[in-house]
Amino acid sequence: MNLYMTSGTKNFLLPLMEKFSNENIVLMQNSQNTLLVHETESKKSKFQQPKSYHIHDSTGDLHRSKFIAIQYIPLTDEGKPIFEFKFQQFSSNFTNTIGFRAARVLTPMKGHTYVIITAWDSESSYKNWESTNPIAKKIQEEQSSKKELLSDPAYTSFYYIQTTDK
């Protein structure tokens, strides 16, 4: 399974989303950016200039979510196999987590920035998980202790799922 992302203005991306309404596409937005995320078995994206990923681990349905946290983790060549090994069963960490809806661990088809997407029923559910869950703390500690595996600093962006209602 593959995942493709493209960004632009909401006015630009909405017609694209409507054009491919039979596809598994989600529109998400924050104050700086709007993303279209397309999950598919196809090795070819519907987008002209996508960021392309292989889905390494997956659970849940992004469409059932309202709040999205996307972690971007740029890895060195040495860090890639370590990351892939440690995060091969990542989504199983969320069993019975209140407010959790979906997770994706993404391996880039080109480049070195891996991505972890977690999807939630609300921003407060995500913040509660982040502040109280030992797994969240372990992930943060792991990233800061493995700085030599990062080619650049890791960062997180937050989005809200947008509906196409007009």
Side-chain angles (χ1 to χ4, degrees), residues 11 16-18 24 27 37 57 60 63 65 68 74 78 84 93 102 106 108 122 130 146 150 155 157:
N11 290 337
L16 189 59
M17 184 177 182
E18 291 166 2
N24 184 10
L27 179 71
V37 174
D57 185 33
H63 290 276
S65 313
I68 305 289
E78 296 80 17
E84 289 176 11
N93 292 316
L106 308 176
S122 67
E130 184 180 47
K146 302 284 186 193
L150 297 175
Y155 64 95
S157 295

Side-chain angles (χ1 to χ4, degrees), residues 13-23 25 46 48:
L13 295 176
L14 269 176
L16 189 59
M17 184 177 182
E18 291 166 2
K19 179 179 178 181
F20 300 112
S21 61
N22 60 334
E23 298 286 334
I25 295 180
K46 303 287 185 195
Q48 286 184 359

